[in-house]
Amino acid sequence: MDIDLHCHSNMSDGALSPAEVVQRAAQRGVDVLALTDHDVLAGLHEARDAAREAGIRFIEGVEISVTWRGKTIHVVGLGIGAGLTELGTALEEVRAGRLTRAKEMAQDLEKAGVGGALEGALRHANNPVMVGRTHFARFLVEAGVVEDVKGAFRSYLVPGKPGYVPYDWAKLADAVGWIVQAGGQAVLAHPGRYGLSGGALEELVLQFKQAGGEGVEVVTGSHSPDQYALFGAVAHTHELAASRGSDFHGPGEGGEFGSLPPLDSRLRPIWQRWNL
Ligand code: AMP
Ligand code: MN
Ligand code: MN
Ligand code: MN
């Protein structure tokens, strides 16, 4: 069974509509899919309907932006269907400053010689309240400033480069708490992306677990095979469940459906007690 518990639609920074995301996943052999848009639940209804149509299982999900020790960390929530209203209200505040931040990002890019970035990014943002770095990256590609989205995140939009504006997202314990209150399970997303030393990673995992976190994303689009092993070991050591998800954003933008290996069979999958 292909279980993919991490992807994005154009309600956040994905390139496809929720229904298109589901159809693509189904065509590529996914049997169980969670849509996990950043800080927004707006795509879940459409995706659920499309999944019924396509004959695959659907899990309501979200990916919450968190600031932990000055770094941006992502927490995926799975199975949040029971408390969507309360969670939705909490997320409104998390995403509230995105437009202001986008204006500051555009000003910073302007100083670096790249004009028109705010309008450009907003053209790529189907849901303007969710405008973010991926939309700026797509604009930078379109404007010929960089070759691809990866290149945009190498030379721009990251700490120390033009277009990066720090932002105070949710607190770790709050994000995990909202997910648990919504009846969901919290998963620490792509831990290989944070550039944390062994000690800091250990503390992050401990605090995450303390707050009620249940799983670690082990197999995901941005991890290398070495990282599957490393974060599998982290999950095992801390008695956390393991999760798996492509982090699909759009065709040709990295993580893709139907292309990931299965979880190591020695790990306890986050879906173990789901009625699949
Ligand atoms: P934001 O929430 O606006 O800060 O944007 C974060 C998003 O940028 C992530 O969810 C990814 O989709 C994207 N992103 C961040 N770093 C990279 C990277 N190195 N390569 C590709 N996409 C990235
Ligand atoms: Mn994203
Ligand atoms: Mn993420
Ligand atoms: Mn993601």
Short mmCIF file of all heavy atoms in Angstrom, two decimals, residues 6-8 13 36 38 63 74 76 189-190 193 247-249, ligand 4:
data_model
loop_
_atom_site.label_atom_id
_atom_site.label_comp_id
_atom_site.label_asym_id
_atom_site.label_seq_id
_atom_site.Cartn_x
_atom_site.Cartn_y
_atom_site.Cartn_z
N HIS A 6 1.87 13.74 3.14
CA HIS A 6 2.40 15.11 3.12
C HIS A 6 2.38 15.64 1.68
O HIS A 6 3.12 15.16 0.82
CB HIS A 6 3.84 15.12 3.66
CG HIS A 6 4.40 16.49 3.90
ND1 HIS A 6 5.47 16.71 4.76
CD2 HIS A 6 4.08 17.70 3.40
CE1 HIS A 6 5.76 18.00 4.77
NE2 HIS A 6 4.94 18.62 3.95
N CYS A 7 1.53 16.64 1.41
CA CYS A 7 1.54 17.29 0.09
C CYS A 7 0.76 18.61 0.18
O CYS A 7 0.10 18.88 1.18
CB CYS A 7 0.95 16.38 -0.98
SG CYS A 7 -0.81 16.08 -0.79
N HIS A 8 0.89 19.39 -0.88
CA HIS A 8 0.32 20.75 -0.89
C HIS A 8 -0.51 21.04 -2.13
O HIS A 8 -0.17 20.60 -3.22
CB HIS A 8 1.45 21.78 -0.79
CG HIS A 8 2.25 21.63 0.46
ND1 HIS A 8 1.90 22.27 1.62
CD2 HIS A 8 3.33 20.88 0.75
CE1 HIS A 8 2.75 21.93 2.58
NE2 HIS A 8 3.63 21.08 2.08
N ASP A 13 1.07 26.66 -0.93
CA ASP A 13 2.09 26.94 -1.94
C ASP A 13 2.28 25.82 -2.95
O ASP A 13 3.31 25.74 -3.61
CB ASP A 13 3.43 27.32 -1.28
CG ASP A 13 4.02 26.20 -0.42
OD1 ASP A 13 3.34 25.16 -0.25
OD2 ASP A 13 5.15 26.38 0.07
N THR A 36 -1.79 18.32 3.26
CA THR A 36 -1.23 19.01 4.43
C THR A 36 -0.79 20.42 4.04
O THR A 36 0.39 20.74 4.10
CB THR A 36 -0.03 18.23 5.00
OG1 THR A 36 0.94 18.05 3.95
CG2 THR A 36 -0.43 16.87 5.53
N HIS A 38 0.05 24.34 4.18
CA HIS A 38 0.63 25.18 5.22
C HIS A 38 -0.45 26.07 5.85
O HIS A 38 -1.06 26.90 5.16
CB HIS A 38 1.69 26.12 4.66
CG HIS A 38 2.86 25.44 4.01
ND1 HIS A 38 3.85 24.81 4.72
CD2 HIS A 38 3.20 25.31 2.70
CE1 HIS A 38 4.75 24.33 3.87
NE2 HIS A 38 4.38 24.61 2.64
N GLU A 63 0.00 21.42 7.72
CA GLU A 63 1.40 21.57 8.11
C GLU A 63 1.55 22.94 8.74
O GLU A 63 1.39 23.96 8.06
CB GLU A 63 2.33 21.42 6.89
CG GLU A 63 3.81 21.54 7.26
CD GLU A 63 4.76 21.29 6.08
OE1 GLU A 63 4.33 21.44 4.92
OE2 GLU A 63 5.94 20.97 6.33
N HIS A 74 8.55 22.78 10.85
CA HIS A 74 7.19 22.45 10.41
C HIS A 74 6.65 21.24 11.15
O HIS A 74 7.36 20.25 11.36
CB HIS A 74 7.17 22.18 8.89
CG HIS A 74 7.31 23.44 8.09
ND1 HIS A 74 7.53 23.45 6.73
CD2 HIS A 74 7.21 24.75 8.46
CE1 HIS A 74 7.59 24.71 6.30
NE2 HIS A 74 7.40 25.51 7.33
N VAL A 76 3.46 18.59 11.01
CA VAL A 76 2.32 18.07 10.26
C VAL A 76 1.28 17.53 11.24
O VAL A 76 1.63 16.87 12.22
CB VAL A 76 2.80 16.97 9.28
CG1 VAL A 76 1.64 16.11 8.80
CG2 VAL A 76 3.52 17.60 8.08
N ALA A 189 7.88 17.37 10.83
CA ALA A 189 8.11 17.25 9.39
C ALA A 189 9.60 17.34 9.05
O ALA A 189 10.37 18.02 9.74
CB ALA A 189 7.36 18.37 8.66
N HIS A 190 10.00 16.63 8.01
CA HIS A 190 11.35 16.68 7.40
C HIS A 190 12.44 17.22 8.32
O HIS A 190 13.01 18.29 8.04
CB HIS A 190 11.31 17.48 6.10
CG HIS A 190 10.53 18.78 6.15
ND1 HIS A 190 10.84 19.80 7.01
CD2 HIS A 190 9.46 19.20 5.45
CE1 HIS A 190 10.00 20.80 6.83
NE2 HIS A 190 9.13 20.44 5.88
N ARG A 193 15.81 18.99 7.24
CA ARG A 193 15.88 20.30 6.58
C ARG A 193 16.29 21.44 7.50
O ARG A 193 16.47 22.56 7.05
CB ARG A 193 14.49 20.64 5.99
CG ARG A 193 14.07 19.78 4.84
CD ARG A 193 13.97 20.55 3.53
NE ARG A 193 13.22 21.78 3.61
CZ ARG A 193 12.02 21.96 3.05
NH1 ARG A 193 11.42 20.98 2.42
NH2 ARG A 193 11.41 23.12 3.15
N ASP A 247 5.79 15.37 0.23
CA ASP A 247 5.89 16.83 0.26
C ASP A 247 5.77 17.40 -1.15
O ASP A 247 6.43 18.38 -1.50
CB ASP A 247 7.20 17.29 0.93
CG ASP A 247 7.08 18.68 1.55
OD1 ASP A 247 6.00 19.30 1.46
OD2 ASP A 247 8.08 19.14 2.13
N PHE A 248 4.91 16.77 -1.95
CA PHE A 248 4.66 17.24 -3.32
C PHE A 248 4.12 18.67 -3.30
O PHE A 248 3.22 18.98 -2.54
CB PHE A 248 3.65 16.31 -4.01
CG PHE A 248 3.16 16.81 -5.34
CD1 PHE A 248 3.93 16.61 -6.49
CD2 PHE A 248 1.95 17.47 -5.47
CE1 PHE A 248 3.50 17.08 -7.73
CE2 PHE A 248 1.51 17.94 -6.71
CZ PHE A 248 2.29 17.74 -7.83
N HIS A 249 4.73 19.54 -4.15
CA HIS A 249 4.23 20.91 -4.33
C HIS A 249 3.76 21.16 -5.76
O HIS A 249 2.85 21.96 -5.97
CB HIS A 249 5.32 21.94 -3.99
CG HIS A 249 5.50 22.20 -2.53
ND1 HIS A 249 6.10 21.29 -1.68
CD2 HIS A 249 5.15 23.26 -1.76
CE1 HIS A 249 6.12 21.80 -0.46
NE2 HIS A 249 5.55 22.99 -0.47
MN MN B 4 5.30 20.55 3.15
#
